[in-house]
Amino acid sequence: MSKRYWNIDLEEMMEARVHLGHKTRKWNPKMAPYIFTERKDTHIINLAKTARSLSEACDLLFDIARRGRKQFLIVGTKYQATDLVASAATEGRCHYVNRKWLGGMLTNWSTTETRLQKFKDLKKEQDTGRFNQLPKKEAAMLKRQLDQLQKYLGGIRYMTSLPDIAIITNQREESIALGECRTLGIPTICLVDTDCDPDLVDIPIPANDDGIASIQLILNRLTSAICEGRELRSLIESNKKKIKKRGGEDLT
């Protein structure tokens, strides 16, 4: 895995309150290596460790993105993360789940594919005006179905296979999603607060997983790495086409 410089600013993380952990009585002893100190019964996260983990996660995402058409999934259903997840996923052209995680969404992928097809079919019927041709009761029922599918599956509407990697914003809140990724061997990057178990994820990023500014900063860094990886791949492919074209011209 290539290492790059991501310009991660400790002061910026302090301002975003990334360092604020949970109350000391709620801690998980496995987080001890990531805790700097405690203040007023609250654990303070070691931001140097956060920066190191965040840099490692960015390196991994950059490498995956530059290797080709890979699928990234961002998961965050807690109210603080809902809008941030949708925004970051849109910016980084990732799939996302920011409402309730439906059990088996990944481990029972064939069922999820069936639901996604149903969602696409209903959306097409709505867009073509077919709902307007149906009896009001039937149209209302189909509209409710479409709204439900949009709510829970709208963020993975274009996901054609299992993701290559998952970014999870809250380990405890998204325990089912994390468990499914572990079962399927899907690599995970996860924000871990002082009450979490870092051993459950591939790259734990010690950080405040409740603060909006903290979640936003971490997600923005991760999706920027994805975008940079894709940009490099596009540049390489463009240069290859130019070289190939030039070689063909030389032959003529």
Side-chain angles (χ1 to χ4, degrees), residues 233-250:
R233 179 171 180 80
S234 296
L235 182 62
I236 291 171
E237 288 180 346
S238 176
N239 287 339
K240 282 181 179 178
K241 287 178 182 177
K242 287 178 182 177
I243 293 169
K244 189 175 180 182
K245 185 179 179 182
R246 197 176 301 138
E249 288 173 351
D250 290 343

Side-chain angles (χ1 to χ4, degrees), residues 155-210:
I156 61 167
R157 180 181 175 184
Y158 300 108
M159 196 161 82
T160 55
S161 64
L162 291 172
D164 294 282
I165 190 166
I167 299 168
I168 297 172
T169 61
N170 189 302
Q171 187 189 87
R172 293 171 68 86
E173 191 75 16
E174 316 304 341
S175 59
I176 298 174
L178 178 57
E180 291 190 29
C181 289
R182 284 168 58 84
T183 298
L184 295 168
I186 297 168
T188 53
I189 294 169
C190 185
L191 275 71
V192 289
D193 212 322
T194 53
D195 61 345
C196 295
D197 182 352
D199 294 343
L200 296 179
V201 298
D202 294 288
I203 300 183
I205 300 176
N208 175 359
D209 62 7
D210 290 321

Side-chain angles (χ1 to χ4, degrees), residues 22-81:
H22 284 287
K23 293 293 184 182
T24 53
R25 67 178 183 275
K26 294 176 67 178
W27 83 308
N28 186 324
K30 289 185 178 181
M31 286 297 294
Y34 302 102
I35 295 172
F36 178 69
T37 187
E38 63 178 77
R39 190 174 300 152
K40 295 182 180 178
D41 297 325
T42 298
H43 276 129
I44 304 299
I45 294 168
N46 187 333
L47 289 181
K49 297 283 183 74
T50 303
R52 197 172 302 131
S53 296
L54 182 54
S55 181
E56 182 185 351
C58 287
D59 284 337
L60 177 61
L61 291 171
F62 176 85
D63 276 351
I64 292 174
R66 75 183 175 90
R67 286 203 298 265
R69 295 182 178 277
K70 303 297 183 178
Q71 307 216 50
F72 300 85
L73 176 65
I74 305 177
V75 183
T77 61
K78 203 169 181 178
Y79 72 92
Q80 293 100 323

Side-chain angles (χ1 to χ4, degrees), residues 9-128:
D9 189 344
L10 299 188
E11 209 169 292
E12 186 182 4
M13 287 198 288
M14 282 279 286
E15 290 174 3
R17 302 167 75 85
V18 175
H19 62 293
L20 294 182
H22 284 287
K23 293 293 184 182
T24 53
R25 67 178 183 275
K26 294 176 67 178
W27 83 308
N28 186 324
K30 289 185 178 181
M31 286 297 294
Y34 302 102
I35 295 172
F36 178 69
T37 187
E38 63 178 77
R39 190 174 300 152
K40 295 182 180 178
D41 297 325
T42 298
H43 276 129
I44 304 299
I45 294 168
N46 187 333
L47 289 181
K49 297 283 183 74
T50 303
R52 197 172 302 131
S53 296
L54 182 54
S55 181
E56 182 185 351
C58 287
D59 284 337
L60 177 61
L61 291 171
F62 176 85
D63 276 351
I64 292 174
R66 75 183 175 90
R67 286 203 298 265
R69 295 182 178 277
K70 303 297 183 178
Q71 307 216 50
F72 300 85
L73 176 65
I74 305 177
V75 183
T77 61
K78 203 169 181 178
Y79 72 92
Q80 293 100 323
T82 300
D83 293 337
L84 301 177
V85 165
S87 176
T90 302
E91 183 70 25
R93 288 184 291 138
C94 304
H95 310 291
Y96 68 94
V97 175
N98 67 341
R99 298 292 179 178
K100 180 182 178 182
W101 179 271
L102 303 177
M105 191 175 282
L106 298 181
T107 50
N108 197 355
W109 178 245
S110 60
T111 299
T112 301
E113 283 184 308
T114 302
R115 288 172 175 165
L116 286 172
Q117 189 57 54
K118 176 70 172 176
F119 173 39
K120 291 171 186 175
D121 291 343
L122 287 175
K123 189 74 174 70
K124 185 177 179 180
E125 288 181 14
Q126 184 190 49
D127 293 344
T128 55

Side-chain angles (χ1 to χ4, degrees), residues 130-145:
R130 185 172 178 274
F131 282 8
N132 299 329
Q133 301 168 9
L134 298 172
K136 285 186 178 180
K137 190 173 181 180
E138 186 178 350
M141 181 188 70
L142 292 176
K143 181 67 167 62
R144 281 195 300 272
Q145 284 183 28

